[in-house]
Amino acid sequence: MATAEKNEIIDFIWEGKDKKSETTKGEISAPTEASARAQLRTMGVRVLKIKPKPKPLFGKSGQKIETKDISIFARQLATMLEAGVPLVQAFDIVGKGHDNASMGDMIMAIKADIEGGDTLAEALGKRPLYFNDLFCNLVGAGEQAGVLETMLGKVATYQEKSESMRAKVKKALTYPIAVLVVCFIVSAILLIFVVPVFADLFHGFGAELPAFTQMVVNMSEWAQSNWWMVVGAIVGFFKTWGFFYPRSEEMRKGVDRMMLKIPIVGTIIFKSAIARFARTLATMSTAGVPLVEALDSVAGACGNIVFYEAVKQMQVDISAGQRLQFSMEQSSLFPNMVIQMVAIGEESGAIEKMLEKVADFYEEEVDNLVDNLSSLMEPLIMVVLGTIVGGLVVAMYLPIFKMGEAV
């Protein structure tokens, strides 16, 4: 049997009134929120607020548990069960052999919960930082239907596809940022360290500098005098962004809407959101999750506030009796091909297969777009850097060329 200590796996922050009706607050560990509330009641505390304590995704060993670790775990467990290995033994094998010590610790803790009488879905549900509702719902459906290994395979495939899509979008966003950062660094080095050497040489000429050269020299003098302002502005921007972005819903909405309008990158984000929508809904439908309930997970999985709001509105429409096809049409967000595929799926009773085809198509589209962007950005970086460096070099040598002509 699992000990109580092993079951106390969630830390909660609470606030309430004590027996003297005075406000008090603190932390408590319990398997569930209901258990935490029950413990507080026995202590004479009337709970006003309680929520899981935010914490970084680190285990006891200090190693970070990443989404790819969860994907690998799901795939390994599915493979073990398909090979006929008992569930508890499979956890033992996967946990002890995991490269990430933190992940291994968590797997062994889940094993202890299962030995203590929990179902796999219940044990996973105690760790919401790592296993979301979609993951737990699919595992629960697999346990009830007696096809746990099949559902774990679907979960693993979903996790792998989602991680791949996330990496592609991240790659697409990284290239433009990389161009800007490299351009800024190269320009700063030239203006602060290289141009002043030429400027001192030009002052000894005693002649008037060409307009282009004078402009570069002025920029260099400004950069030398005010570099701290530039650094302060950059640091201040990121500090301000880091403070307000997580706290301002309107700011997040504005950024998400703006990202969809950026050429090429916006197209990648748009198509990746459709791929996530289709993949998540297909996976939930395969598990037998009701459509209205499934759309909760789908909305969060899209990764963009525009799609989130559209899917939540679709959820309202469908709960009122509207078909998914018509609800998607009213959102004016989904391409006609996607709507028609969904319509065919609804008519034929094979909506899961149609959604999977949509997801496959758009994932391939995103893959091609990212590859094209990569191919485009490589020469673009060379052109931009060449223009900056070449322009500064020409500006510095222009007075020397003119002196040569005069001689």
Side-chain angles (χ1 to χ4, degrees):
M1 295 290 290
T3 63
E5 182 177 330
K6 285 185 178 179
N7 282 330
E8 294 174 354
I9 41 74
I10 302 179
D11 295 327
F12 292 93
I13 301 173
W14 59 269
E15 182 178 331
K17 299 282 188 179
D18 61 15
K19 294 179 180 179
K20 298 179 181 180
S21 296
E22 295 180 354
T23 301
T24 182
K25 56 185 178 181
E27 297 181 12
I28 191 169
S29 297
T32 63
E33 182 179 321
S35 299
R37 288 179 178 273
Q39 289 182 44
L40 290 168
R41 280 197 299 270
T42 61
M43 295 163 56
V45 175
R46 179 166 61 88
V47 179
L48 299 177
K49 297 178 183 177
I50 186 168
K51 61 180 181 179
K53 180 182 177 181
K55 57 182 179 180
L57 301 182
F58 288 84
K60 295 178 182 178
S61 67
Q63 285 183 271
K64 187 176 182 180
I65 298 176
E66 299 180 347
T67 52
K68 68 177 181 180
D69 294 317
I70 303 300
S71 300
I72 293 171
F73 160 72
R75 179 61 66 193
Q76 289 177 326
L77 190 59
T79 303
M80 290 284 181
L81 294 180
E82 287 173 358
V85 179
L87 181 61
V88 173
Q89 186 179 348
F91 268 94
D92 198 45
I93 295 170
V94 174
K96 290 180 179 177
H98 210 286
D99 293 334
N100 187 331
S102 296
M103 188 67 192
D105 291 342
M106 185 173 71
I107 291 172
M108 298 310 291
I110 295 171
K111 174 196 168 189
D113 288 341
I114 293 172
E115 290 175 328
D118 286 345
T119 64
L120 177 56
E122 290 170 344
L124 298 177
K126 292 178 179 180
R127 296 156 180 88
L129 288 176
Y130 312 101
F131 303 101
N132 56 24
D133 290 340
L134 183 147
F135 198 114
C136 296
N137 286 340
L138 291 175
V139 169
E143 287 182 304
Q144 291 176 10
V147 289
L148 179 57
E149 63 278 2
T150 302
M151 280 302 175
L152 276 170
K154 291 185 179 296
V155 170
T157 300
Y158 173 79
Q159 291 284 120
E160 290 160 359
K161 295 276 188 182
S162 298
E163 183 64 21
S164 175
M165 186 62 55
R166 192 178 296 111
K168 289 170 186 173
V169 174
K170 184 177 179 181
K171 182 180 178 182
L173 295 175
T174 301
Y175 270 107
I177 295 172
V179 172
L180 294 175
V181 171
V182 171
C183 288
F184 176 79
I185 293 174
V186 170
S187 301
I189 292 174
L190 291 174
L191 289 173
I192 295 174
F193 298 105
V194 178
V195 173
V197 176
F198 282 90
D200 292 338
L201 178 64
F202 296 154
H203 287 152
F205 291 169
E208 185 179 352
L209 295 176
F212 185 38
T213 303
Q214 187 62 55
M215 180 187 73
V216 173
V217 170
N218 292 341
M219 288 172 59
S220 175
E221 291 174 351
W222 185 91
Q224 292 175 73
S225 302
N226 301 287
W227 64 267
W228 56 273
M229 291 176 57
V230 177
V231 174
I234 294 172
V235 173
F237 171 79
F238 283 107
K239 287 283 187 183
T240 303
W241 179 278
F243 179 82
F244 286 105
Y245 186 79
R247 295 169 174 80
S248 174
E249 184 177 353
E250 290 302 317
M251 183 177 179
R252 292 195 298 274
K253 288 181 179 179
V255 170
D256 278 2
R257 290 191 177 97
M258 180 191 70
M259 293 296 289
L260 288 174
K261 296 177 181 179
I262 299 175
I264 304 178
V265 173
T267 303
I268 291 173
I269 294 173
F270 177 80
K271 292 189 175 183
S272 69
I274 293 177
R276 288 172 178 171
F277 167 87
R279 180 70 64 191
T280 307
L281 188 54
T283 307
M284 297 290 280
S285 298
T286 302
V289 179
L291 181 56
V292 174
E293 184 181 333
L295 288 175
D296 265 330
S297 297
V298 174
C302 289
N304 186 280
I305 194 66
V306 176
F307 278 86
Y308 177 86
E309 291 178 342
V311 173
K312 295 302 284 186
Q313 182 58 48
M314 286 164 54
Q315 186 180 34
V316 173
D317 296 339
I318 291 169
S319 63
Q322 196 171 91
R323 289 178 58 182
L324 178 60
Q325 171 200 353
F326 297 132
S327 182
M328 292 173 68
E329 285 178 349
Q330 289 180 352
S331 71
S332 301
L333 192 60
F334 295 90
N336 186 59
M337 186 270 280
V338 177
I339 296 172
Q340 293 305 316
M341 292 283 280
V342 168
I344 294 170
E346 285 186 306
E347 290 292 339
S348 63
I351 192 169
E352 300 90 355
K353 292 182 179 179
M354 288 300 175
L355 286 168
E356 286 176 358
K357 290 182 183 296
V358 169
D360 290 339
F361 174 79
Y362 278 96
E363 284 166 358
E364 186 175 352
E365 285 277 294
V366 170
D367 199 14
N368 292 334
L369 282 169
V370 172
D371 289 341
N372 292 338
L373 180 64
S374 302
S375 302
L376 176 66
M377 292 304 293
E378 289 171 4
L380 182 61
I381 290 174
M382 295 192 337
V383 169
V384 171
L385 290 180
T387 301
I388 293 174
V389 175
L392 292 175
V393 169
V394 169
M396 293 301 97
Y397 279 96
L398 199 56
I400 299 175
F401 295 153
K402 288 204 170 186
M403 286 179 58
E405 290 176 3
V407 173

